Amino acid sequence: MARCFVTRRLPGGALERLTAAHEVEVWPGASPPPHEVLVERASRSEGLLCLLSDRIDAAFLDACPSLRAVANYAVGTDNVDLAAATARGVPVGNTPDVLTDATADMAFTLLLAAARRLLEGVDAARRGEWMDWSPTTLLGQDTVGATLGIVGPGRIGRALARRAEGFGMRVIESGRTSGVPLDELLSQSDFVSIHTPLTPATRGLIGERELRLMKRSAVLVNTARGPIVDTDALVRALREGWIAAAGLDVTDPEPLPHDHPLLSLPNAVVAPHIGSATHRTREAMADIAVDNLLAALAGERMPHCANPEVYERD
Ligand code: DGY
């Protein structure tokens, strides 16, 4: 029986399986444990189940030498220093596949909401400013016949492409080794959706130069990670009309301070990182995270390991 620390309560019954096999402490708060508390609890543990908001870096791993496994409750692992974990022989699990459709749904929801100025319309109606029907009120962008540019055509990008094709959109993509060059995608697309992981190479990938390459009528969607887009440049782009609108499920920073301009710009539709937030998806993510931890603590290979090279070490 190993000691495990879990940094948040999870939906569904997955944690019961972990508790049946190991001694488990679950952080009871609605907010993440402060970093020093995380270090203190994890330093007494062999297994850690953490969220994307928990920073697992080399200093953390050095402070927690008894850790034998980290199961991240996310497909993205940019909160974990994978190289440092590999160097210390710690496998890191993630939760791919099960959130693909929910996240693609969110990307398409944001695309449509931003294209059709849904927030502006709903806000006006709620404020009691429902105007008489007019031929020119809140005109937005069509999807049929429009070009969608997918930056990072992985699992979620391809799932979004299937949805877009069903709406009669033309899809182009730009990946590390496939598709058109990014500049070409940006200048040709009516909608640009980001689906690349956050890495040193993609941090700030969409900055002022890239936003200025986009059409003035274009909509930018980001459901991947906030720091892939330069936030200050995006605010200027939305204010000054370099692009028409943005639909964001992720931002930099997260959470956004309540007085951040992105939360008051009429052409920014911002959701609080809920791309995978459906009952079924979040329960499936919990199942995978627990499966990863149980396997590693039993000395087996994690079913979904983000640093498989850890198994090639001596
Ligand atoms: C992930 O898994 O990386 C998402 O951002 C949250 O589900």
Side-chain angles (χ1 to χ4, degrees):
M1 190 175 256
R3 287 174 75 116
C4 299
F5 182 54
V6 178
T7 66
R8 213 73 62 80
R9 285 187 292 253
L10 301 179
L15 283 182
E16 286 160 28
R17 289 192 294 120
L18 190 62
T19 311
H22 296 291
E23 191 186 327
V24 179
E25 183 186 356
V26 181
W27 178 251
S31 308
H35 192 68
E36 58 286 2
V37 176
L38 173 62
V39 174
E40 188 270 320
R41 298 295 206 281
S43 67
R44 296 193 264 123
S45 308
E46 291 160 86
L48 174 68
L49 197 159
C50 59
L51 306 194
L52 54 84
S53 44
D54 300 317
R55 180 166 40 86
I56 311 298
D57 55 16
F60 172 91
L61 293 165
D62 285 339
C64 304
S66 55
L67 266 189
R68 286 163 47 207
V70 173
N72 208 35
Y73 183 71
V75 64
T77 50
D78 46 283
N79 59 311
V80 183
D81 184 335
L82 291 180
T86 305
R88 288 157 184 78
V90 179
V92 177
N94 69 342
T95 63
D97 299 324
V98 290
L99 46 67
T100 297
D101 286 311
T103 309
D105 283 350
M106 177 56 69
F108 209 73
T109 301
L110 290 168
L111 183 156
L112 287 175
R116 298 303 303 273
R117 304 176 63 181
L118 187 66
L119 263 198
E120 291 172 81
V122 170
D123 277 354
R126 289 188 168 190
R127 281 197 310 266
E129 292 168 13
W130 188 323
M131 331 81 180
D132 289 332
W133 191 91
S134 132
T136 53
T137 299
L138 290 176
L139 303 187
Q141 319 292 341
D142 284 299
T143 51
V144 72
T147 298
L148 168 64
I150 294 188
V151 180
R155 285 176 289 247
I156 299 172
R158 284 195 298 269
L160 177 65
R162 288 195 293 278
R163 285 153 177 76
E165 279 156 5
F167 272 68
M169 299 174 86
R170 166 179 172 253
V171 178
I172 58 175
E173 52 186 50
S174 176
R176 264 186 309 135
T177 53
S178 63
V180 301
L182 180 61
D183 285 4
E184 197 176 314
L185 176 141
L186 293 170
S187 58
Q188 281 188 16
S189 297
D190 301 295
F191 297 88
V192 172
S193 191
I194 299 172
H195 298 283
T196 177
L198 174 62
T199 65
T202 62
R203 186 173 288 274
L205 182 72
I206 306 296
E208 171 165 355
R209 192 188 79 84
E210 289 71 26
L211 289 161
R212 287 191 185 277
L213 283 176
M214 290 172 66
K215 298 182 183 179
R216 291 178 76 85
S217 56
V219 173
L220 177 71
V221 175
N222 189 4
T223 53
R225 285 292 183 266
I228 297 168
V229 178
D230 175 338
T231 302
D232 293 340
L234 177 62
V235 167
R236 279 188 291 134
L238 292 169
R239 271 198 185 125
E240 295 170 18
W242 313 347
I243 64 173
L248 309 172
D249 185 46
V250 290
T251 57
D252 181 25
E254 269 180 36
L256 277 182
H258 80 278
D259 57 352
H260 195 281
L262 280 177
L263 294 177
S264 52
L265 282 167
N267 50 353
V269 181
V270 181
H273 204 149
I274 52 172
S276 62
T278 69
H279 294 286
R280 193 173 67 192
T281 298
R282 289 283 169 86
E283 288 182 22
M285 289 167 66
D287 274 326
I288 293 184
V290 166
D291 289 346
N292 280 337
L293 206 49
L294 286 173
L297 293 174
E300 293 159 11
R301 209 180 162 99
M302 282 183 170
H304 296 284
C305 185
N307 61 338
E309 56 283 0
V310 74
Y311 296 115
E312 316 310 329
R313 297 169 77 246
D314 288 338

